[in-house]
Amino acid sequence: MKLVSLIVPCYNEDESVNLFYSVVNPILAELKDIEYEFIYVNDGSKDETIQKIKQLSDRESNVRFISFSRNFGKEAAMLAGIEAARGDAVILMDVDLQDPPNLLPQMIQEWIKGNYDVIYTRRSNRSGEPPIRSWFARKFYKFINKMSDVHIVDGARDYRLMDRRVVESFLQLKEKNRFAKGLFMWVGYRTKCIEFENIERAAGDSSWSFLKLVHYAIDGIVSFTISPLRWASYFGFFTASSAFLYMFYIIFTKLSFGNEVSGYASIVSIMLFFGGLQLIFLGIIGEYIGRIFIEVKARPSYIVQEQSSFALKKELPKPGLIVKGEFPSSIQRNIHKKKALYLRRNS
Ligand code: UDP
Ligand code: MG
Protein backbone atom coordinates (compact mmCIF):
# COMPACT_ATOMS: atom_id res chain seq x y z
CA MET A 1 0.00 0.00 0.00
CA LYS A 2 1.28 3.45 -0.87
CA LEU A 3 0.77 6.38 1.44
CA VAL A 4 -0.39 9.74 0.11
CA SER A 5 0.04 12.82 2.32
CA LEU A 6 -2.37 15.64 1.66
CA ILE A 7 -1.06 19.01 2.83
CA VAL A 8 -3.61 21.68 3.57
CA PRO A 9 -2.41 25.18 4.52
CA CYS A 10 -5.00 27.18 6.46
CA TYR A 11 -5.08 30.85 7.36
CA ASN A 12 -8.31 32.07 8.97
CA GLU A 13 -10.32 29.22 7.51
CA ASP A 14 -12.51 28.02 10.40
CA GLU A 15 -15.49 27.68 8.07
CA SER A 16 -13.63 25.45 5.64
CA VAL A 17 -11.67 23.02 7.85
CA ASN A 18 -14.48 20.51 8.39
CA LEU A 19 -16.14 21.13 5.04
CA PHE A 20 -12.88 20.29 3.28
CA TYR A 21 -12.50 17.04 5.17
CA SER A 22 -16.10 16.00 4.59
CA VAL A 23 -15.73 16.56 0.84
CA VAL A 24 -12.26 15.15 0.27
CA ASN A 25 -12.22 12.19 2.66
CA PRO A 26 -14.99 10.22 0.85
CA ILE A 27 -13.28 10.77 -2.50
CA LEU A 28 -9.99 9.35 -1.22
CA ALA A 29 -11.71 6.55 0.70
CA GLU A 30 -13.03 5.26 -2.63
CA LEU A 31 -9.50 4.66 -3.92
CA LYS A 32 -8.45 1.10 -3.19
CA ASP A 33 -4.71 1.21 -3.83
CA ILE A 34 -3.68 3.85 -1.34
CA GLU A 35 -3.65 4.91 2.27
CA TYR A 36 -3.77 8.61 2.98
CA GLU A 37 -3.27 11.19 5.68
CA PHE A 38 -4.33 14.81 6.00
CA ILE A 39 -1.76 17.27 7.29
CA TYR A 40 -3.44 20.56 8.19
CA VAL A 41 -1.00 23.43 8.65
CA ASN A 42 -2.42 26.29 10.70
CA ASP A 43 -0.53 29.37 9.54
CA GLY A 44 -1.10 31.55 12.61
CA SER A 45 -4.83 31.99 12.08
CA LYS A 46 -6.60 34.59 14.21
CA ASP A 47 -9.98 32.85 14.20
CA GLU A 48 -11.11 29.43 15.42
CA THR A 49 -9.15 27.49 12.79
CA ILE A 50 -6.79 25.70 15.19
CA GLN A 51 -9.61 24.60 17.50
CA LYS A 52 -11.51 23.24 14.50
CA ILE A 53 -8.41 21.38 13.28
CA LYS A 54 -7.71 19.91 16.72
CA GLN A 55 -11.28 18.66 17.09
CA LEU A 56 -11.07 17.07 13.67
CA SER A 57 -7.70 15.52 14.45
CA ASP A 58 -9.03 14.06 17.71
CA ARG A 59 -12.00 12.61 15.90
CA GLU A 60 -10.32 11.24 12.78
CA SER A 61 -7.26 9.03 12.90
CA ASN A 62 -5.96 10.16 9.50
CA VAL A 63 -5.74 13.86 10.39
CA ARG A 64 -2.56 15.43 11.69
CA PHE A 65 -1.70 19.06 12.16
CA ILE A 66 1.08 21.54 12.57
CA SER A 67 0.39 24.95 14.05
CA PHE A 68 2.67 27.97 13.62
CA SER A 69 3.46 30.54 16.29
CA ARG A 70 2.28 33.31 13.91
CA ASN A 71 1.40 33.87 10.27
CA PHE A 72 4.42 32.91 8.15
CA GLY A 73 2.69 32.83 4.76
CA LYS A 74 1.47 30.06 2.49
CA GLU A 75 4.95 29.21 1.19
CA ALA A 76 6.13 28.44 4.73
CA ALA A 77 2.97 26.47 5.47
CA MET A 78 3.47 24.31 2.39
CA LEU A 79 7.12 23.76 3.28
CA ALA A 80 6.26 22.69 6.84
CA GLY A 81 3.72 20.22 5.49
CA ILE A 82 6.12 18.83 2.91
CA GLU A 83 8.86 18.41 5.53
CA ALA A 84 6.50 16.60 7.88
CA ALA A 85 4.89 14.38 5.25
CA ARG A 86 5.92 10.75 5.14
CA GLY A 87 3.86 9.77 2.12
CA ASP A 88 5.17 8.13 -1.04
CA ALA A 89 3.42 11.02 -2.71
CA VAL A 90 2.54 14.47 -1.43
CA ILE A 91 -0.44 16.51 -2.57
CA LEU A 92 -0.76 20.23 -1.90
CA MET A 93 -4.29 21.54 -1.73
CA ASP A 94 -6.05 24.76 -0.63
CA VAL A 95 -8.62 24.32 2.09
CA ASP A 96 -11.15 26.65 0.42
CA LEU A 97 -12.13 23.95 -2.15
CA GLN A 98 -10.96 26.15 -5.02
CA ASP A 99 -8.78 23.21 -5.99
CA PRO A 100 -11.36 20.75 -7.36
CA PRO A 101 -11.22 17.55 -5.26
CA ASN A 102 -12.73 15.51 -8.11
CA LEU A 103 -9.35 15.72 -9.87
CA LEU A 104 -7.73 13.74 -7.04
CA PRO A 105 -8.55 10.22 -8.33
CA GLN A 106 -7.17 11.10 -11.76
CA MET A 107 -4.00 12.61 -10.29
CA ILE A 108 -3.40 9.62 -8.04
CA GLN A 109 -4.08 7.10 -10.80
CA GLU A 110 -1.66 8.82 -13.16
CA TRP A 111 0.97 8.64 -10.43
CA ILE A 112 0.30 4.99 -9.58
CA LYS A 113 0.58 4.04 -13.26
CA GLY A 114 4.11 5.37 -12.95
CA ASN A 115 4.28 7.53 -16.06
CA TYR A 116 4.56 10.80 -14.19
CA ASP A 117 6.34 12.10 -11.08
CA VAL A 118 4.54 15.43 -10.90
CA ILE A 119 0.91 16.00 -11.75
CA TYR A 120 0.01 19.66 -11.42
CA THR A 121 -3.12 21.60 -12.20
CA ARG A 122 -3.81 24.75 -14.09
CA ARG A 123 -6.80 27.06 -14.23
CA SER A 124 -7.87 27.47 -17.84
CA ASN A 125 -9.64 30.75 -17.05
CA ARG A 126 -9.63 33.39 -14.34
CA SER A 127 -13.35 34.03 -14.04
CA GLY A 128 -14.54 35.63 -10.82
CA GLU A 129 -11.29 37.52 -10.43
CA PRO A 130 -11.01 41.32 -10.82
CA PRO A 131 -9.91 42.02 -14.44
CA ILE A 132 -7.03 44.25 -13.34
CA ARG A 133 -5.65 41.41 -11.18
CA SER A 134 -5.85 38.95 -14.10
CA TRP A 135 -4.13 41.46 -16.37
CA PHE A 136 -1.22 41.90 -13.97
CA ALA A 137 -0.99 38.15 -13.43
CA ARG A 138 -0.75 37.50 -17.18
CA LYS A 139 1.89 40.20 -17.60
CA PHE A 140 3.83 38.76 -14.66
CA TYR A 141 4.02 35.27 -16.19
CA LYS A 142 4.99 36.69 -19.57
CA PHE A 143 7.74 38.77 -17.97
CA ILE A 144 9.17 36.07 -15.73
CA ASN A 145 9.19 33.51 -18.53
CA LYS A 146 11.04 35.89 -20.82
CA MET A 147 13.58 36.73 -18.13
CA SER A 148 14.33 33.39 -16.51
CA ASP A 149 15.33 29.93 -17.68
CA VAL A 150 12.60 28.18 -15.75
CA HIS A 151 9.22 28.12 -17.46
CA ILE A 152 6.40 28.92 -15.06
CA VAL A 153 3.03 28.10 -16.57
CA ASP A 154 0.44 30.88 -16.47
CA GLY A 155 -2.41 29.85 -14.18
CA ALA A 156 -0.51 26.89 -12.66
CA ARG A 157 -1.78 26.24 -9.14
CA ASP A 158 0.07 24.99 -6.10
CA TYR A 159 -2.47 22.14 -6.25
CA ARG A 160 -0.26 19.26 -7.33
CA LEU A 161 0.87 15.72 -6.61
CA MET A 162 4.58 15.02 -6.24
CA ASP A 163 6.33 11.69 -5.98
CA ARG A 164 8.67 11.11 -3.03
CA ARG A 165 11.72 11.61 -5.29
CA VAL A 166 10.48 15.04 -6.35
CA VAL A 167 9.79 15.98 -2.73
CA GLU A 168 13.32 15.01 -1.71
CA SER A 169 14.75 17.12 -4.54
CA PHE A 170 12.52 20.03 -3.57
CA LEU A 171 13.73 19.79 0.03
CA GLN A 172 17.33 19.91 -1.12
CA LEU A 173 16.78 23.51 -2.20
CA LYS A 174 17.67 25.27 1.02
CA GLU A 175 16.89 28.89 0.14
CA LYS A 176 14.88 30.81 2.70
CA ASN A 177 13.07 33.05 0.26
CA ARG A 178 10.96 30.38 -1.36
CA PHE A 179 8.93 30.87 -4.49
CA ALA A 180 7.51 27.36 -4.59
CA LYS A 181 5.83 27.60 -7.99
CA GLY A 182 9.21 28.26 -9.57
CA LEU A 183 11.06 25.73 -7.39
CA PHE A 184 8.63 22.96 -8.36
CA MET A 185 9.33 23.69 -12.02
CA TRP A 186 13.03 24.02 -11.39
CA VAL A 187 13.42 20.48 -10.02
CA GLY A 188 11.95 19.07 -13.23
CA TYR A 189 10.95 15.36 -13.52
CA ARG A 190 8.21 13.89 -15.70
CA THR A 191 5.37 16.34 -15.43
CA LYS A 192 1.74 16.28 -16.44
CA CYS A 193 -0.70 19.17 -16.40
CA ILE A 194 -4.43 18.85 -15.76
CA GLU A 195 -6.64 21.81 -16.62
CA PHE A 196 -9.80 22.88 -14.86
CA GLU A 197 -12.30 25.75 -14.83
CA ASN A 198 -11.85 28.31 -12.08
CA ILE A 199 -14.11 27.81 -9.05
CA GLU A 200 -15.12 30.43 -6.49
CA ARG A 201 -14.17 29.96 -2.84
CA ALA A 202 -16.41 27.71 -0.70
CA ALA A 203 -16.33 30.13 2.26
CA GLY A 204 -14.42 33.12 3.64
CA ASP A 205 -12.33 35.59 1.65
CA SER A 206 -9.05 35.37 -0.19
CA SER A 207 -6.28 36.64 2.07
CA TRP A 208 -4.24 37.96 -0.85
CA SER A 209 -4.41 41.71 -1.14
CA PHE A 210 -3.25 43.35 -4.34
CA LEU A 211 -0.06 44.58 -2.64
CA LYS A 212 0.69 41.07 -1.35
CA LEU A 213 0.43 39.80 -4.92
CA VAL A 214 2.82 42.52 -6.14
CA HIS A 215 5.34 41.43 -3.49
CA TYR A 216 4.81 37.81 -4.51
CA ALA A 217 5.51 38.73 -8.15
CA ILE A 218 8.68 40.63 -7.23
CA ASP A 219 9.79 37.67 -5.10
CA GLY A 220 9.24 35.38 -8.07
CA ILE A 221 11.25 37.51 -10.44
CA VAL A 222 14.11 38.29 -8.06
CA SER A 223 14.52 34.71 -6.87
CA PHE A 224 14.59 33.26 -10.37
CA THR A 225 16.60 35.62 -12.48
CA ILE A 226 19.32 38.24 -12.30
CA SER A 227 18.28 39.69 -15.67
CA PRO A 228 17.06 43.00 -14.17
CA LEU A 229 20.64 43.64 -12.97
CA ARG A 230 21.98 42.82 -16.40
CA TRP A 231 19.49 45.12 -18.09
CA ALA A 232 20.48 47.90 -15.69
CA SER A 233 24.10 47.49 -16.81
CA TYR A 234 23.12 47.46 -20.48
CA PHE A 235 21.07 50.59 -20.03
CA GLY A 236 23.92 52.30 -18.15
CA PHE A 237 26.30 51.42 -20.94
CA PHE A 238 23.90 52.74 -23.57
CA THR A 239 23.32 56.09 -21.81
CA ALA A 240 27.04 56.55 -21.07
CA SER A 241 27.84 56.04 -24.76
CA SER A 242 25.12 58.49 -25.79
CA ALA A 243 26.43 61.07 -23.30
CA PHE A 244 29.90 60.65 -24.72
CA LEU A 245 28.68 61.38 -28.25
CA TYR A 246 26.68 64.36 -26.99
CA MET A 247 29.87 65.71 -25.39
CA PHE A 248 31.55 65.80 -28.79
CA TYR A 249 28.56 67.68 -30.18
CA ILE A 250 28.76 70.31 -27.40
CA ILE A 251 32.51 70.80 -27.82
CA PHE A 252 32.01 71.12 -31.56
CA THR A 253 29.23 73.77 -31.25
CA LYS A 254 31.25 75.68 -28.60
CA LEU A 255 34.30 75.83 -30.85
CA SER A 256 32.34 76.69 -34.00
CA PHE A 257 29.70 79.12 -32.71
CA GLY A 258 30.95 80.33 -29.31
CA ASN A 259 29.24 79.92 -25.94
CA GLU A 260 25.50 80.43 -26.09
CA VAL A 261 23.71 80.19 -22.75
CA SER A 262 20.66 78.10 -23.41
CA GLY A 263 19.39 74.61 -22.68
CA TYR A 264 17.96 75.17 -19.19
CA ALA A 265 14.94 73.00 -19.96
CA SER A 266 16.97 70.17 -21.44
CA ILE A 267 19.44 70.13 -18.52
CA VAL A 268 16.68 69.98 -15.92
CA SER A 269 14.78 67.22 -17.71
CA ILE A 270 17.94 65.17 -18.25
CA MET A 271 18.87 65.56 -14.57
CA LEU A 272 15.43 64.48 -13.40
CA PHE A 273 15.33 61.59 -15.83
CA PHE A 274 18.67 60.19 -14.78
CA GLY A 275 18.04 60.91 -11.09
CA GLY A 276 14.88 58.80 -11.33
CA LEU A 277 16.59 56.10 -13.32
CA GLN A 278 19.39 55.80 -10.78
CA LEU A 279 16.90 55.43 -7.96
CA ILE A 280 15.05 52.70 -9.85
CA PHE A 281 18.25 50.79 -10.48
CA LEU A 282 19.35 51.27 -6.88
CA GLY A 283 16.00 49.80 -5.91
CA ILE A 284 16.59 46.78 -8.13
CA ILE A 285 20.05 46.25 -6.65
CA GLY A 286 18.49 46.71 -3.20
CA GLU A 287 16.00 43.91 -3.89
CA TYR A 288 18.88 41.52 -4.53
CA ILE A 289 20.94 42.73 -1.57
CA GLY A 290 17.84 42.33 0.61
CA ARG A 291 17.57 38.71 -0.52
CA ILE A 292 21.25 38.14 0.32
CA PHE A 293 20.62 39.67 3.77
CA ILE A 294 17.73 37.28 4.38
CA GLU A 295 19.65 34.24 3.13
CA VAL A 296 22.71 35.09 5.23
CA LYS A 297 20.68 35.36 8.42
CA ALA A 298 19.32 31.90 7.61
CA ARG A 299 16.39 32.13 9.98
CA PRO A 300 14.00 29.19 9.92
CA SER A 301 11.12 29.61 7.47
CA TYR A 302 8.57 29.03 10.24
CA ILE A 303 8.25 28.28 13.94
CA VAL A 304 6.00 25.49 15.11
CA GLN A 305 4.06 26.23 18.26
CA GLU A 306 2.18 22.97 18.46
CA GLN A 307 1.72 19.83 16.43
CA SER A 308 -0.05 16.53 16.66
CA SER A 309 2.23 14.03 18.32
CA PHE A 310 3.32 12.15 15.25
CA ALA A 311 3.28 14.70 12.50
CA LEU A 312 7.03 14.71 12.02
CA LYS A 313 9.29 11.75 11.33
CA LYS A 314 11.62 12.47 14.21
CA GLU A 315 8.68 12.82 16.59
CA LEU A 316 7.45 9.26 16.08
CA PRO A 317 7.15 7.42 19.42
CA LYS A 318 9.61 4.57 19.76
CA PRO A 319 7.45 1.44 20.12
CA GLY A 320 9.76 -0.22 22.64
CA LEU A 321 9.50 2.64 25.13
CA ILE A 322 5.78 2.46 25.76
CA VAL A 323 5.05 0.69 29.06
CA LYS A 324 1.65 -0.88 29.51
CA GLY A 325 -0.49 0.34 32.38
CA GLU A 326 1.18 3.71 32.62
CA PHE A 327 -1.65 5.54 30.87
CA PRO A 328 -5.43 5.40 31.11
CA SER A 329 -6.94 2.87 28.70
CA SER A 330 -8.20 5.44 26.16
CA ILE A 331 -4.71 6.86 25.72
CA GLN A 332 -3.30 3.34 25.72
CA ARG A 333 -5.60 2.42 22.81
CA ASN A 334 -4.50 5.51 20.96
CA ILE A 335 -0.87 4.63 21.56
CA HIS A 336 -1.47 1.14 20.26
CA LYS A 337 -2.99 2.53 17.11
CA LYS A 338 0.00 4.81 16.58
CA LYS A 339 2.36 1.98 17.42
CA ALA A 340 0.76 -0.28 14.83
CA LEU A 341 1.00 2.50 12.28
CA TYR A 342 4.61 3.12 13.20
CA LEU A 343 5.50 -0.56 12.84
CA ARG A 344 3.72 -0.70 9.50
CA ARG A 345 5.55 2.36 8.18
CA ASN A 346 8.92 1.15 9.36
CA SER A 347 8.66 -2.53 8.47
N1 UDP B 1 -2.96 30.64 3.19
C1 UDP B 1 -2.01 30.40 4.16
N2 UDP B 1 -1.28 31.46 4.65
C2 UDP B 1 -1.47 32.74 4.19
C3 UDP B 1 -2.42 32.95 3.17
C4 UDP B 1 -3.15 31.87 2.70
O1 UDP B 1 -1.80 29.27 4.61
O2 UDP B 1 -0.80 33.64 4.69
C5 UDP B 1 -3.74 29.48 2.66
C6 UDP B 1 -5.25 29.67 2.68
O3 UDP B 1 -5.82 29.30 3.90
C7 UDP B 1 -5.71 28.78 1.54
C8 UDP B 1 -4.55 28.86 0.57
O4 UDP B 1 -3.42 29.30 1.32
O5 UDP B 1 -5.86 27.43 1.94
C9 UDP B 1 -4.84 29.82 -0.59
O6 UDP B 1 -5.19 31.09 -0.09
P1 UDP B 1 -6.29 32.00 -0.77
O7 UDP B 1 -7.53 31.20 -1.05
O8 UDP B 1 -6.43 33.20 0.11
O9 UDP B 1 -5.58 32.40 -2.12
P2 UDP B 1 -6.20 32.46 -3.60
O10 UDP B 1 -6.99 31.18 -3.81
O11 UDP B 1 -7.05 33.66 -3.62
O12 UDP B 1 -5.01 32.53 -4.49
MG1 MG C 1 -8.38 30.37 -2.67
Side-chain angles (χ1 to χ4, degrees):
M1 275 283 204
K2 289 188 165 185
L3 175 69
V4 174
S5 303
L6 207 78
I7 294 159
V8 196
C10 306
Y11 177 54
N12 295 343
E13 303 276 10
D14 56 3
E15 290 169 83
S16 304
V17 169
N18 285 304
L19 181 67
F20 178 84
Y21 185 83
S22 64
V23 172
V24 176
N25 189 49
I27 295 177
L28 292 176
E30 290 274 297
L31 304 175
K32 295 280 171 279
D33 309 330
I34 58 151
E35 286 180 286
Y36 58 93
E37 61 176 356
F38 290 79
I39 301 177
Y40 279 84
V41 185
N42 172 39
D43 183 11
S45 302
K46 296 183 181 67
D47 61 1
E48 304 279 289
T49 303
I50 183 62
Q51 286 85 338
K52 289 273 158 64
I53 293 176
K54 275 182 174 169
Q55 284 163 7
L56 185 69
S57 165
D58 286 343
R59 210 169 58 227
E60 307 290 347
S61 59
N62 60 358
V63 175
R64 273 145 233 194
F65 71 87
I66 299 169
S67 184
F68 287 173
S69 57
R70 64 167 172 85
N71 178 246
F72 282 92
K74 188 185 174 189
E75 297 283 335
M78 291 192 296
L79 178 65
I82 292 174
E83 284 181 341
R86 293 166 299 152
D88 303 296
V90 164
I91 297 178
L92 299 170
M93 208 169 168
D94 288 0
V95 74
D96 57 12
L97 292 172
Q98 272 191 308
D99 295 334
N102 56 8
L103 297 182
L104 283 169
Q106 190 191 347
M107 290 165 81
I108 291 170
Q109 270 145 22
E110 291 282 0
W111 167 66
I112 286 177
K113 272 194 249 158
N115 295 333
Y116 296 102
D117 305 302
V118 180
I119 295 115
Y120 73 97
T121 61
R122 175 178 180 265
R123 284 190 299 184
S124 54
N125 65 338
R126 290 180 174 271
S127 63
E129 203 180 64
I132 179 87
R133 187 170 151 170
S134 311
W135 187 84
F136 272 109
R138 273 200 301 277
K139 288 280 168 260
F140 162 70
Y141 284 109
K142 233 183 185 158
F143 183 76
I144 196 167
N145 285 328
K146 220 175 223 164
M147 289 283 211
S148 77
D149 306 332
V150 181
H151 183 72
I152 301 175
V153 179
D154 183 1
R157 303 279 301 172
D158 291 322
Y159 181 30
R160 63 185 61 224
L161 180 150
M162 292 181 286
D163 184 74
R164 173 55 45 194
R165 283 190 296 172
V166 183
V167 171
E168 293 302 327
S169 304
F170 176 77
L171 291 177
Q172 274 176 18
L173 310 178
K174 296 290 181 207
E175 57 210 80
K176 297 292 163 200
N177 218 301
R178 298 182 81 86
F179 183 70
K181 251 179 216 172
L183 297 180
F184 292 141
M185 289 292 171
W186 190 90
V187 295
Y189 289 98
R190 297 169 301 169
T191 303
K192 184 185 170 75
C193 174
I194 299 177
E195 299 213 351
F196 68 91
E197 296 268 314
N198 193 27
I199 306 166
E200 308 254 332
R201 259 173 166 274
D205 292 313
S206 170
S207 48
W208 290 84
S209 64
F210 187 71
L211 202 64
K212 236 176 157 179
L213 281 172
V214 171
H215 287 167
Y216 184 68
I218 293 176
D219 263 347
I221 292 164
V222 175
S223 43
F224 270 86
T225 171
I226 53 164
S227 304
L229 291 176
R230 203 167 296 146
W231 283 103
S233 315
Y234 290 158
F235 199 83
F237 186 73
F238 171 75
T239 46
S241 317
S242 315
F244 199 65
L245 293 177
Y246 188 56
M247 186 182 77
F248 278 117
Y249 167 76
I250 291 175
I251 291 171
F252 172 74
T253 46
K254 162 85 175 111
L255 293 179
S256 323
F257 312 111
N259 195 4
E260 14 162 5
V261 180
S262 71
Y264 171 77
S266 62
I267 286 174
V268 168
S269 40
I270 289 171
M271 261 172 54
L272 289 178
F273 176 70
F274 284 106
L277 211 63
Q278 277 167 2
L279 287 181
I280 291 173
F281 288 152
L282 266 181
I284 292 178
I285 296 169
E287 283 290 334
Y288 286 93
I289 294 179
R291 289 318 179 273
I292 300 172
F293 178 59
I294 289 168
E295 295 297 327
V296 167
K297 281 190 296 184
R299 288 190 182 155
S301 302
Y302 55 84
I303 289 175
V304 174
Q305 179 171 352
E306 199 181 355
Q307 64 191 44
S308 51
S309 60
F310 53 117
L312 292 176
K313 261 187 208 156
K314 49 181 182 279
E315 296 282 328
L316 281 169
K318 289 234 166 53
L321 293 179
I322 297 165
V323 185
K324 228 181 174 160
E326 244 184 11
F327 304 103
S329 59
S330 59
I331 297 180
Q332 194 72 49
R333 263 202 307 282
N334 206 7
I335 290 172
H336 275 303
K337 254 196 272 167
K338 288 177 189 172
K339 191 171 155 185
L341 193 81
Y342 178 86
L343 288 174
R344 217 167 46 233
R345 293 275 170 279
N346 290 280
S347 59

